Amino acid sequence: MFCVERNVGTDFWVQEQCFKTEFQAFSNARTKSLNSFGLYQVMYGSESPSKSNEVLRVSKGKAILAEDDRLVG
């Protein structure tokens, strides 16, 4: 399951919807971020909030790189 979460404060996220595929979750998060200019993240299997299963973050319709992401090329 891939779940879309909305940022409502510093390191505080509220789960909004879950989807069977990553593409559906990303599309939902992207649409919401374009409409509200908010920050959304897609989580994989967020049953255990103690583990970081973040797939990506979306702001203003674009994916945001995490600090540990490295681009190749």
Side-chain angles (χ1 to χ4, degrees):
M1 257 314 158
F2 294 89
C3 296
V4 175
E5 298 181 350
R6 175 177 41 94
N7 185 271
V8 291
T10 306
D11 292 330
F12 188 72
W13 299 87
V14 174
Q15 189 177 83
E16 293 201 340
Q17 257 181 307
C18 293
F19 300 90
K20 289 183 181 180
T21 68
E22 182 180 357
F23 179 75
Q24 290 173 321
F26 169 73
S27 296
N28 181 272
R30 183 175 187 276
T31 300
K32 288 181 177 184
S33 73
L34 284 169
N35 289 333
S36 69
F37 297 107
L39 180 60
Y40 290 83
Q41 68 180 4
V42 176
M43 300 292 287
Y44 175 72
S46 62
E47 301 90 32
S48 63
S50 61
K51 294 183 180 178
S52 177
N53 296 324
E54 181 181 9
V55 176
L56 62 94
R57 290 187 185 187
V58 181
S59 178
K60 298 180 186 173
K62 297 183 181 181
I64 299 174
L65 294 176
E67 292 175 5
D68 58 344
D69 286 344
R70 290 183 174 81
L71 295 178
V72 177

